[in-house]
Short mmCIF file of all heavy atoms in Angstrom, two decimals:
data_model
loop_
_atom_site.label_atom_id
_atom_site.label_comp_id
_atom_site.label_asym_id
_atom_site.label_seq_id
_atom_site.Cartn_x
_atom_site.Cartn_y
_atom_site.Cartn_z
N GLY A 1 -102.63 -17.75 32.27
CA GLY A 1 -101.72 -16.62 32.10
C GLY A 1 -100.27 -17.03 32.04
O GLY A 1 -99.38 -16.20 32.24
N LEU A 2 -100.01 -18.30 31.73
CA LEU A 2 -98.65 -18.84 31.68
C LEU A 2 -98.27 -19.26 30.27
O LEU A 2 -97.36 -20.06 30.09
CB LEU A 2 -98.52 -20.03 32.64
CG LEU A 2 -98.81 -19.72 34.12
CD1 LEU A 2 -98.80 -21.01 34.94
CD2 LEU A 2 -97.79 -18.73 34.68
N GLY A 3 -98.96 -18.73 29.29
CA GLY A 3 -98.75 -19.16 27.91
C GLY A 3 -97.97 -18.19 27.07
O GLY A 3 -98.14 -18.16 25.85
N GLY A 4 -97.10 -17.41 27.69
CA GLY A 4 -96.40 -16.38 26.95
C GLY A 4 -95.25 -16.84 26.10
O GLY A 4 -94.81 -16.11 25.20
N HIS A 5 -94.72 -18.04 26.33
CA HIS A 5 -93.58 -18.49 25.54
C HIS A 5 -94.00 -18.70 24.08
O HIS A 5 -95.02 -19.34 23.80
CB HIS A 5 -93.02 -19.79 26.11
CG HIS A 5 -91.65 -20.12 25.59
ND1 HIS A 5 -91.44 -20.63 24.34
CD2 HIS A 5 -90.42 -19.99 26.16
CE1 HIS A 5 -90.14 -20.82 24.15
NE2 HIS A 5 -89.49 -20.44 25.25
N PRO A 6 -93.23 -18.16 23.13
CA PRO A 6 -93.65 -18.24 21.72
C PRO A 6 -93.73 -19.66 21.17
O PRO A 6 -94.40 -19.88 20.16
CB PRO A 6 -92.59 -17.40 20.98
CG PRO A 6 -91.41 -17.40 21.89
CD PRO A 6 -91.96 -17.41 23.28
N ARG A 7 -93.08 -20.62 21.80
CA ARG A 7 -93.10 -21.99 21.30
C ARG A 7 -94.11 -22.87 22.02
O ARG A 7 -94.25 -24.05 21.70
CB ARG A 7 -91.71 -22.62 21.44
CG ARG A 7 -90.62 -21.93 20.62
CD ARG A 7 -90.83 -22.13 19.13
NE ARG A 7 -90.76 -23.53 18.75
CZ ARG A 7 -91.11 -24.01 17.55
NH1 ARG A 7 -91.61 -23.18 16.64
NH2 ARG A 7 -90.99 -25.28 17.28
N LEU A 8 -94.84 -22.31 22.98
CA LEU A 8 -95.84 -23.10 23.67
C LEU A 8 -96.92 -23.54 22.69
O LEU A 8 -97.48 -22.74 21.94
CB LEU A 8 -96.49 -22.28 24.79
CG LEU A 8 -97.53 -23.06 25.61
CD1 LEU A 8 -96.83 -23.96 26.62
CD2 LEU A 8 -98.48 -22.11 26.34
N GLY A 9 -97.21 -24.82 22.68
CA GLY A 9 -98.22 -25.38 21.79
C GLY A 9 -97.70 -25.76 20.42
O GLY A 9 -98.40 -26.45 19.66
N ARG A 10 -96.49 -25.33 20.11
CA ARG A 10 -95.90 -25.71 18.82
C ARG A 10 -95.07 -26.99 18.99
O ARG A 10 -95.09 -27.61 20.04
CB ARG A 10 -95.05 -24.55 18.27
CG ARG A 10 -95.90 -23.33 17.94
CD ARG A 10 -95.08 -22.21 17.31
NE ARG A 10 -95.93 -21.08 16.96
CZ ARG A 10 -96.54 -20.93 15.79
NH1 ARG A 10 -96.40 -21.86 14.85
NH2 ARG A 10 -97.30 -19.88 15.54
N ASN A 11 -94.40 -27.40 17.91
CA ASN A 11 -93.50 -28.56 18.01
C ASN A 11 -94.25 -29.88 18.20
O ASN A 11 -93.72 -30.85 18.74
CB ASN A 11 -92.50 -28.35 19.16
CG ASN A 11 -91.33 -29.31 19.13
OD1 ASN A 11 -90.65 -29.44 18.11
ND2 ASN A 11 -91.09 -30.00 20.23
N LEU A 12 -95.51 -29.94 17.75
CA LEU A 12 -96.33 -31.14 17.97
C LEU A 12 -95.93 -32.26 17.03
O LEU A 12 -95.97 -32.13 15.81
CB LEU A 12 -97.81 -30.80 17.76
CG LEU A 12 -98.81 -31.97 17.79
CD1 LEU A 12 -98.84 -32.60 19.17
CD2 LEU A 12 -100.20 -31.49 17.37
N SER A 13 -95.53 -33.40 17.62
CA SER A 13 -95.32 -34.65 16.89
C SER A 13 -96.48 -35.59 17.22
O SER A 13 -96.97 -35.59 18.35
CB SER A 13 -94.00 -35.31 17.28
OG SER A 13 -92.90 -34.69 16.67
N VAL A 14 -96.87 -36.43 16.24
CA VAL A 14 -98.06 -37.26 16.47
C VAL A 14 -97.96 -38.70 15.95
O VAL A 14 -98.95 -39.43 16.02
CB VAL A 14 -99.31 -36.62 15.84
CG1 VAL A 14 -99.64 -35.29 16.50
CG2 VAL A 14 -99.16 -36.44 14.34
N HIS A 15 -96.83 -39.15 15.44
CA HIS A 15 -96.77 -40.48 14.84
C HIS A 15 -97.90 -40.70 13.82
O HIS A 15 -98.86 -41.45 14.08
CB HIS A 15 -96.84 -41.58 15.90
CG HIS A 15 -95.51 -41.95 16.47
ND1 HIS A 15 -95.35 -42.46 17.74
CD2 HIS A 15 -94.26 -41.88 15.95
CE1 HIS A 15 -94.08 -42.69 17.98
NE2 HIS A 15 -93.39 -42.35 16.91
N PRO A 16 -97.87 -40.03 12.67
CA PRO A 16 -98.86 -40.31 11.63
C PRO A 16 -98.87 -41.81 11.30
O PRO A 16 -97.81 -42.45 11.25
CB PRO A 16 -98.37 -39.49 10.43
CG PRO A 16 -97.48 -38.46 11.02
CD PRO A 16 -96.85 -39.09 12.22
N ALA A 17 -100.05 -42.35 11.07
CA ALA A 17 -100.16 -43.81 10.93
C ALA A 17 -101.19 -44.16 9.86
O ALA A 17 -102.14 -43.42 9.60
CB ALA A 17 -100.57 -44.44 12.26
N THR A 18 -100.97 -45.33 9.25
CA THR A 18 -101.93 -45.86 8.30
C THR A 18 -101.93 -47.38 8.42
O THR A 18 -101.03 -47.97 9.03
CB THR A 18 -101.60 -45.42 6.86
OG1 THR A 18 -102.70 -45.73 6.01
CG2 THR A 18 -100.34 -46.09 6.33
N SER A 19 -102.95 -48.01 7.86
CA SER A 19 -103.12 -49.45 7.99
C SER A 19 -103.35 -50.09 6.63
O SER A 19 -103.82 -49.45 5.68
CB SER A 19 -104.31 -49.77 8.90
OG SER A 19 -104.12 -49.27 10.19
N VAL A 20 -103.04 -51.36 6.55
CA VAL A 20 -103.24 -52.18 5.36
C VAL A 20 -103.77 -53.54 5.82
O VAL A 20 -103.43 -54.01 6.91
CB VAL A 20 -101.91 -52.34 4.57
CG1 VAL A 20 -102.00 -53.45 3.55
CG2 VAL A 20 -101.53 -51.03 3.90
N ALA A 21 -104.60 -54.15 5.01
CA ALA A 21 -105.14 -55.47 5.35
C ALA A 21 -104.84 -56.46 4.23
O ALA A 21 -104.79 -56.08 3.05
CB ALA A 21 -106.65 -55.40 5.58
N GLY A 22 -104.66 -57.71 4.60
CA GLY A 22 -104.47 -58.77 3.62
C GLY A 22 -105.57 -59.80 3.74
O GLY A 22 -105.93 -60.20 4.86
N ARG A 23 -106.11 -60.22 2.60
CA ARG A 23 -107.16 -61.25 2.61
C ARG A 23 -106.52 -62.61 2.39
O ARG A 23 -105.75 -62.82 1.44
CB ARG A 23 -108.19 -60.98 1.53
CG ARG A 23 -109.39 -61.94 1.60
CD ARG A 23 -110.39 -61.71 0.48
NE ARG A 23 -110.77 -60.33 0.36
CZ ARG A 23 -111.61 -59.70 1.18
NH1 ARG A 23 -112.14 -60.35 2.19
NH2 ARG A 23 -111.91 -58.43 0.98
N PHE A 24 -106.89 -63.57 3.26
CA PHE A 24 -106.33 -64.91 3.21
C PHE A 24 -107.42 -65.93 2.88
O PHE A 24 -108.61 -65.66 3.05
CB PHE A 24 -105.67 -65.26 4.54
CG PHE A 24 -104.38 -64.49 4.77
CD1 PHE A 24 -104.41 -63.17 5.19
CD2 PHE A 24 -103.16 -65.08 4.53
CE1 PHE A 24 -103.24 -62.46 5.37
CE2 PHE A 24 -101.98 -64.37 4.71
CZ PHE A 24 -102.01 -63.05 5.14
N ALA A 25 -106.98 -67.08 2.39
CA ALA A 25 -107.95 -68.11 1.99
C ALA A 25 -108.67 -68.70 3.19
O ALA A 25 -109.85 -69.04 3.11
CB ALA A 25 -107.21 -69.22 1.22
N GLU A 26 -107.97 -68.82 4.30
CA GLU A 26 -108.56 -69.40 5.50
C GLU A 26 -108.87 -68.31 6.52
O GLU A 26 -108.26 -67.24 6.50
CB GLU A 26 -107.59 -70.43 6.12
CG GLU A 26 -107.23 -71.59 5.21
CD GLU A 26 -108.46 -72.40 4.84
OE1 GLU A 26 -109.35 -72.56 5.71
OE2 GLU A 26 -108.53 -72.89 3.69
N PRO A 27 -109.79 -68.56 7.42
CA PRO A 27 -110.11 -67.55 8.44
C PRO A 27 -108.89 -67.17 9.28
O PRO A 27 -108.09 -68.02 9.67
CB PRO A 27 -111.19 -68.23 9.29
CG PRO A 27 -111.82 -69.23 8.37
CD PRO A 27 -110.71 -69.72 7.50
N VAL A 28 -108.77 -65.90 9.54
CA VAL A 28 -107.72 -65.35 10.41
C VAL A 28 -108.32 -64.99 11.77
O VAL A 28 -107.71 -65.22 12.81
CB VAL A 28 -107.07 -64.10 9.78
CG1 VAL A 28 -106.05 -63.49 10.71
CG2 VAL A 28 -106.47 -64.43 8.42
N THR A 29 -109.51 -64.43 11.74
CA THR A 29 -110.20 -63.96 12.94
C THR A 29 -109.23 -63.16 13.79
O THR A 29 -108.89 -63.51 14.92
CB THR A 29 -110.81 -65.13 13.75
OG1 THR A 29 -111.39 -66.08 12.86
CG2 THR A 29 -111.88 -64.62 14.70
N ALA A 30 -108.79 -62.05 13.23
CA ALA A 30 -107.70 -61.27 13.80
C ALA A 30 -108.02 -60.74 15.19
O ALA A 30 -107.10 -60.44 15.97
CB ALA A 30 -107.36 -60.10 12.86
N TRP A 31 -109.30 -60.61 15.51
CA TRP A 31 -109.67 -60.06 16.82
C TRP A 31 -109.62 -61.11 17.92
O TRP A 31 -110.01 -60.82 19.05
CB TRP A 31 -111.05 -59.42 16.75
CG TRP A 31 -112.12 -60.29 16.17
CD1 TRP A 31 -112.89 -61.20 16.83
CD2 TRP A 31 -112.54 -60.34 14.80
NE1 TRP A 31 -113.76 -61.81 15.97
CE2 TRP A 31 -113.57 -61.30 14.71
CE3 TRP A 31 -112.14 -59.66 13.65
CZ2 TRP A 31 -114.21 -61.59 13.51
CZ3 TRP A 31 -112.77 -59.95 12.46
CH2 TRP A 31 -113.80 -60.91 12.39
N GLU A 32 -109.17 -62.31 17.62
CA GLU A 32 -108.91 -63.31 18.66
C GLU A 32 -107.41 -63.42 18.84
O GLU A 32 -106.70 -64.01 18.03
CB GLU A 32 -109.51 -64.67 18.26
CG GLU A 32 -111.03 -64.65 18.21
CD GLU A 32 -111.62 -66.00 17.81
OE1 GLU A 32 -110.83 -66.94 17.55
OE2 GLU A 32 -112.86 -66.11 17.76
#
């Protein structure tokens, strides 16, 4: 019963993100 403010739940920022991979001639084994 404390959700009366009109901006409650709005104003959401989330750091949108994406990834790219590069293929190399030699092993990278990125998870090590």
Side-chain angles (χ1 to χ4, degrees):
L2 300 174
H5 195 283
R7 297 292 297 169
L8 182 79
R10 296 184 178 271
N11 194 53
L12 173 65
S13 283
V14 296
H15 273 153
T18 192
S19 299
V20 165
R23 186 183 310 284
F24 288 79
E26 300 298 324
V28 177
T29 319
W31 52 87
E32 293 180 358

